[in-house]
């Protein structure tokens, strides 16, 4: 992050997800003020969702520091297309090709904040956050990933956030690691997401006869921690898929650390243990043998911090 970015005022951060829309003013040291949130409306009306976003912006505009804001970062569930400023979140069915960047800029302007607006997918935002204040801090080349209902990610290359032309660079979830694997929802085959997402872990475990009381990846993780062999196998399978993709990415662009966050990663060594174990079989060339896999360091506010961090990295001047 540039010295110019560090010397400026707060960044308006908006984090848009399937269950909540959150906002805050994020300051150059990473602290947050004026935090607010609204539930994400259900249904098919795109304007209902935008109305909730507008309410969050209105809340933020009431803060005394609003007038000092120099940029806005918007982190959103994807797919995103930053070249067009649009989003089509899988978990917000009302938004398909929705011009969220333009609409938020208009809301900001109506409240006196005519500032640059940067859109980032949630995986890229998480990467920006972890590089700024988290586990990838100090690393010039890093892969950060979110393992949750889906699998997403982002890249830091040569100390810079590498979002790509449409904001989807580093989307590790749709690297194919099994050429004869099962079809993925994206239309591909054998994708990491189809093997290692929380949804995939739970589905595979149930297909293999696991019958835990909690039919989610968290339930499978609890069974794995208790020694259930099917649950352990489900996480081993996921860990192997992640390890193959991490090694492929590191081999391609020479990252030296992989940071794993998201709900499934909350299982700790139940997931990270298999990833590290299998990584030794895939990251065999000399320049990737020292690749480290670590858990994400930022918690519940990572989405807001990431939205701000992405804006600071991609639009440092207010």
């Amino acid at each position: 992050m540039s010295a110019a970015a560090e010397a400026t005022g707060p960044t308006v951060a908006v984090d848009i997800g399937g269950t909540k829309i959150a906002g805050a003013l994020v300051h150059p040291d990473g602290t947050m003020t004026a935090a607010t949130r609204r539930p994400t409306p259900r249904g098919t009306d795109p304007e209902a969702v935008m109305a909730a976003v507008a309410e969050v912006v209105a809340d933020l505009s009431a803060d005394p520091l609003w007038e000092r804001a120099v940029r806005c970062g918007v982190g959103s569930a994807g797919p995103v297309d930053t070249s067009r400023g649009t989003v089509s979140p899988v978990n917000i069915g009302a938004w398909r090709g929705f011009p969220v960047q333009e609409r938020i800029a208009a809301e900001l302007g109506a409240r006196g904040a005519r500032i640059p607006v940067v859109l980032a997918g949630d995986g890229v935002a998480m990467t920006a956050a972890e590089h700024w204040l988290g586990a990838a801090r100090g690393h010039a080349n890093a892969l950060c990933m979110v393992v949750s209902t889906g699998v997403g990610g982002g890249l830091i290359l040569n100390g810079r956030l590498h979002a790509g032309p449409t904001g989807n660079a580093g989307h590790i979830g749709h690297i194919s690691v099994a050429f004869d694997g099962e079809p993925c929802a994206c239309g591909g085959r054998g994708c990491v997401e189809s093997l290692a997402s929380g949804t995939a872990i739970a589905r595979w475990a149930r297909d293999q006869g696991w019958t835990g009381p909690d039919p989610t990846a968290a339930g499978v993780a609890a069974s794995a921690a208790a020694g259930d062999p099917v649950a352990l196998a489900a996480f081993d399978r996921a860990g192997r898929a992640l390890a193959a993709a991490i090694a492929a990415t590191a081999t391609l662009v020479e990252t030296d650390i992989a940071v794993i966050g998201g709900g499934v990663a909350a299982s700790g060594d139940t997931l990270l243990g298999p990833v590290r174990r299998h990584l030794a079989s895939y990251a065999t060339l000399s320049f990737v043998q020292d690749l480290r896999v670590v858990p994400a360091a930022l918690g519940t506010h990572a989405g807001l911090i990431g939205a701000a961090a992405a804006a600071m990295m991609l639009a440092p001047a207010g």
Side-chain angles (χ1 to χ4, degrees):
M1 200 167 298
S2 70
E6 294 176 358
T8 57
T11 298
V12 178
V14 180
D15 179 29
I16 299 170
T19 59
K20 73 177 189 307
I21 296 164
L25 298 181
V26 179
H27 301 275
D29 62 356
T31 59
M32 297 194 307
T33 58
T36 185
R37 61 192 290 174
R38 293 289 189 281
T40 303
R42 301 296 180 184
T44 59
D45 181 5
E47 292 304 323
V49 182
M50 186 62 216
V53 175
E55 289 176 10
V56 166
V57 172
D59 287 352
L60 298 179
S61 71
D63 189 272
L65 295 177
W66 173 260
E67 63 183 23
R68 295 178 54 194
V70 294
R71 66 183 75 80
C72 174
V74 180
S76 176
V80 303
D81 185 343
T82 58
S83 69
R84 298 176 180 272
T86 62
V87 297
S88 303
V90 171
N91 52 8
I92 305 178
W95 277 7
R96 289 295 173 264
F98 189 80
V100 68
Q101 187 171 7
E102 176 185 341
R103 294 293 300 275
I104 288 180
E107 288 292 333
L108 294 169
R111 298 181 183 280
R114 292 173 176 82
I115 53 179
V117 178
V118 174
L119 172 63
D122 50 8
V124 170
M126 175 265 192
T127 300
E130 290 293 332
H131 185 252
W132 181 23
L133 297 173
R137 189 173 187 176
H139 289 266
N141 300 287
L143 165 68
C144 299
M145 51 198 308
V146 180
V147 183
S148 186
T149 306
V151 177
L155 290 166
I156 299 290
L157 299 179
N158 297 323
R160 293 180 173 273
L161 183 64
H162 181 75
T166 66
N168 292 290
H171 201 336
I172 192 169
H174 296 288
I175 289 178
S176 177
V177 292
F179 72 89
D180 58 351
E182 63 185 78
C184 178
C186 74
R189 184 175 289 275
C191 293
V192 175
E193 186 170 295
S194 70
L195 296 162
S197 69
T199 306
I201 290 169
R203 182 179 63 245
W204 188 87
R206 291 193 301 269
D207 288 347
Q208 301 304 308
W210 176 78
T211 57
D214 177 0
T216 68
V220 180
S223 292
D228 182 278
V230 173
L232 286 166
F235 272 88
D236 186 74
R237 178 175 181 264
R240 184 178 181 185
L242 292 168
I246 290 167
T249 302
T251 302
L252 186 66
V253 295
E254 290 198 56
T255 53
D256 55 25
I257 190 168
V259 178
I260 303 181
V264 178
S267 63
D269 284 343
T270 299
L271 177 68
L272 297 183
V275 173
R276 291 170 177 146
R277 185 169 62 251
H278 286 294
L279 190 62
S281 301
Y282 291 104
T284 58
L285 293 170
S286 60
F287 61 92
V288 292
Q289 285 179 352
D290 294 330
L291 177 63
R292 295 172 56 218
V293 175
V294 301
L298 300 176
T300 57
H301 297 306
L304 286 169
I305 293 172
M312 290 179 191
M313 291 177 180
L314 299 173

